[in-house]
Amino acid sequence: MRGNKRMTTLSIMKFGGTSVGSADALRAAALLVRAEHAKGTQVAVVVSAMSGVTNLLLDGADIASRGENGWQDLATTLQARHADTVAALLTTAAEQSLVNERIATHIGEFRALCHAVEVLGEASPRALDAISSLGERICMHLMAAHLRESGCAAEAVRAMDIIRTDATFQAARPDFEVTRDLCRTRLLPLLRNRSVPVITGFIGATASGAITTLGRGGSDYSAAIIGSVLDADEVVIWTDVDGVMSTDPRIAPNARTLPTVTFREISELAFYGAKVLHPLAVRPMIEHGGTLWIRNTFNPAGPATRIVADSSAPSASEPLKAVTAIKDQSLVTIEGRGMLGVQGIAARAFGAVARTGTSVTLITQASSEQSICFTVPSPNSSRVVAALNTEFTGELVRKEIDRIWDRPSVVIVSVVGSGMSTVPGIPGRVFTALGNQQINILAIAQGSSECSISLIVSTEQSDDSVRAIHALIVA
Ligand code: ADP
Ligand code: ASP
Ligand code: MG
């Protein structure tokens, strides 16, 4: 909880890939920072890499690990994209040469790392983090230099110096105690001096200085971590849509902005695929008590979403708020008539899954009672099935378990709304809407918090399912 009394408001402004994806976008983002700063607010900025850059960096690592040519061209593309942005954005020779020098250094690092990966024939998670960190590390210089040129004191701050994580490369978790000290020592003096720290999102470092990343989309988490350890009044996630919407507007163009969403609702939405906010970004904000906003960089005066406490009364008139989909899942089933009498099957099954390093996305009961069904990300499913076959060799031989199989290419469609627990008949309406569109539901799960229902459908029917349920929300 926020304890320190501070006279001035502190705002963490996080800009996503599209919001820093071109010189024009960077200008628009900087304008928002300057407007906030001019009000007397203390502002810390968190930036993502320019849109598409992290993917290109990871593509380079992948190509290099296969010993193929092509990463050299990607290095040239990345160099040119950033240098063109410098030319279009920065106006003073001093800032241009400073940022160009950084770009050259980081692209040089990219080449050296890809070369090492090529020689080894393998990209370790640690190497992938060092490579994928480079987009943010270049972008912070673009933003900081442009802010300075437009008359706003700003300083680039590497998250490696202020976010301490464990060594789980590609999904590192922060040590909040150490991070709190590092952030406060480095950032508070800047903020007090009215300088804007421009911090790399997405990354951190271990105690021994190895670069880590928080996972794809992790810049939102960076902003929430920094907001919580600095006791910020607000964290604003500036993105390319008008806040959290009733569904992904790319799937249903009639999606509308949700003015308020509770922490529980946003947790479910983010976990089940609403990319607009990283699922881990929610908890630090709940715990420290600041305000969390999602706003559109390109429509700053337009509709936006404020995340509010769960205690806010759920709306019975709007029991369904949003629908979302998480793609590229496999439905794993353990099936057998002899299973009922055998104790501890579920515990052993999930133990075996956990040992493969896989997180289960959803557990459900299919139509048959003599089965255990759950979903896992598709890339992990063959590993999971192999581990289960090993775990249950005896049961398979004794025919207590008939078979363990996976159905690839399924999608979890989740409908969220805390009002649904108070309104009877919601599941029925959802199933009817899908039935009317001839959509086949493979399995069903009701969220424990009673604010979501999740359905498994085939990938081909995913977008139609989302639109059918969305029609109930906007009706
Ligand atoms: P950023 O680069 O700013 O972090 P992301 O691409 O990670 O942006 O997230 C924003 C995108 O999330 C939007 O462009 C939109 O397509 C997608 N999205 C998915 N579900 C939702 C939703 N319910 N509301 C708003 N956007 C959503
Ligand atoms: N640039 C990183 C990614 O593309 C982090 C982020 O955008 O949040 O995953
Ligand atoms: Mg994002």
Side-chain angles (χ1 to χ4, degrees):
M1 272 290 166
R2 284 175 301 154
N4 298 5
K5 280 262 176 291
R6 200 182 33 238
M7 300 306 284
T8 29
T9 305
L10 170 58
S11 176
I12 313 296
M13 301 176 75
K14 178 262 167 177
F15 294 94
T18 322
S19 303
V20 292
S22 65
D24 282 344
L26 279 155
R27 265 190 282 270
L31 205 59
L32 295 167
V33 173
R34 283 158 50 208
E36 196 57 52
H37 190 250
K39 286 188 212 160
T41 307
Q42 292 182 344
V43 180
V45 171
V46 175
V47 287
S48 292
M50 295 179 81
S51 50
V53 164
T54 311
N55 285 345
L56 287 184
L57 291 164
L58 288 167
D59 286 350
D62 183 46
I63 294 168
S65 72
R66 286 186 274 113
E68 290 169 12
N69 283 325
W71 58 262
Q72 295 88 344
D73 290 345
L74 285 180
T76 311
T77 307
L78 286 163
Q79 164 89 41
R81 166 125 184 242
H82 288 106
D84 289 351
T85 310
V86 168
L89 179 71
L90 301 180
T91 50
T92 61
E95 293 290 6
Q96 282 185 349
S97 74
L98 185 134
V99 181
N100 277 326
E101 200 181 293
R102 305 288 181 191
I103 295 172
T105 305
H106 289 321
I107 299 296
E109 238 174 283
F110 175 67
R111 289 179 194 278
L113 286 162
C114 284
H115 181 66
V117 165
E118 185 174 32
V119 171
L120 289 167
E122 154 185 71
S124 65
R126 180 173 175 158
L128 288 172
D129 276 1
I131 292 172
S132 61
S133 71
L134 292 165
E136 273 74 7
R137 289 162 68 197
I138 295 177
C139 190
M140 75 169 168
H141 292 296
L142 290 166
M143 175 66 102
H146 173 60
L147 280 172
R148 286 192 295 265
E149 280 190 349
S150 26
C152 176
E155 198 169 309
V157 176
R158 306 165 357 139
M160 293 95 88
D161 299 332
I162 58 168
I163 296 192
R164 170 68 56 79
T165 71
D166 62 15
T168 316
F169 295 99
Q170 300 205 280
R173 295 296 165 256
D175 175 333
F176 275 91
E177 286 309 304
V178 178
T179 299
R180 189 179 174 83
D181 286 345
L182 293 171
C183 279
R184 297 183 80 86
T185 308
R186 178 81 176 89
L187 301 177
L188 291 182
L190 290 177
L191 293 165
R192 274 190 222 106
N193 281 337
R194 304 279 305 134
S195 182
V196 174
V198 180
I199 308 157
T200 48
F202 183 46
I203 57 188
T206 64
S208 60
I211 297 171
T212 53
T213 67
L214 307 172
R216 294 306 304 271
S219 294
D220 299 335
Y221 191 24
S222 309
I225 295 166
I226 294 166
S228 93
V229 299
L230 292 185
D231 299 322
D233 298 278
E234 62 172 22
V235 171
V236 188
I237 305 291
W238 289 94
T239 184
D240 56 4
V241 282
D242 289 344
V244 180
M245 307 186 77
S246 47
T247 195
D248 187 340
R250 283 183 289 199
I251 299 178
N254 62 341
R256 61 179 185 214
T257 301
L258 305 173
T260 57
V261 174
T262 66
F263 277 116
R264 197 179 291 153
E265 288 167 340
I266 192 68
S267 302
E268 298 276 316
L269 281 171
F271 183 78
Y272 285 116
K275 200 184 161 212
V276 67
L277 187 71
H278 191 283
L280 291 174
V282 181
R283 178 160 285 280
M285 294 307 295
I286 302 180
E287 283 171 3
H288 106 276
T291 310
L292 180 58
W293 285 96
I294 323 280
R295 312 189 79 103
N296 189 345
T297 309
F298 307 101
N299 185 20
T305 301
R306 184 186 170 147
I307 311 296
V308 296
D310 293 326
S311 53
S312 311
S315 164
S317 63
E318 270 188 319
L320 301 181
K321 279 178 113 165
V323 54
T324 180
I326 177 164
K327 298 200 166 155
D328 209 13
Q329 303 291 302
S330 288
L331 182 61
V332 178
T333 306
I334 306 174
E335 202 173 75
R337 265 156 293 145
M339 262 167 61
L340 277 180
V342 186
Q343 285 195 345
I345 295 259
R348 281 170 55 203
F350 291 116
V353 176
R355 285 193 292 279
T356 69
T358 303
S359 311
V360 172
T361 31
L362 182 141
I363 303 171
T364 174
Q365 183 80 52
S367 46
S368 149
E369 281 172 19
Q370 287 142 359
S371 68
I372 298 172
C373 262
F374 53 90
T375 51
V376 294
S378 283
N380 295 22
S381 73
S382 49
R383 209 160 63 224
V384 165
V385 171
L388 291 169
N389 275 313
T390 307
E391 175 69 36
F392 293 118
T393 311
E395 285 77 5
L396 285 159
V397 168
R398 291 192 296 277
K399 300 260 187 271
E400 287 159 0
I401 290 177
D402 295 327
R403 64 178 187 141
I404 299 170
W405 56 291
D406 65 321
R407 181 188 167 121
S409 232
V410 302
V411 171
I412 306 172
V413 175
S414 300
V415 53
V416 174
S418 43
M420 74 169 77
S421 57
T422 57
V423 179
I426 296 294
R429 283 171 56 198
V430 171
F431 302 148
T432 307
L434 294 176
N436 289 344
Q437 301 293 318
Q438 266 77 53
I439 289 163
N440 187 20
I441 303 170
L442 304 172
I444 300 160
Q446 172 126 30
S448 56
S449 57
E450 281 190 59
C451 90
S452 74
I453 302 171
S454 294
L455 313 156
I456 315 282
V457 299
S458 70
T459 299
E460 306 82 70
Q461 296 195 307
S462 166
D463 287 356
D464 285 341
S465 307
V466 168
R467 284 190 282 262
I469 298 173
H470 189 246
L472 295 175
I473 300 172
V474 293

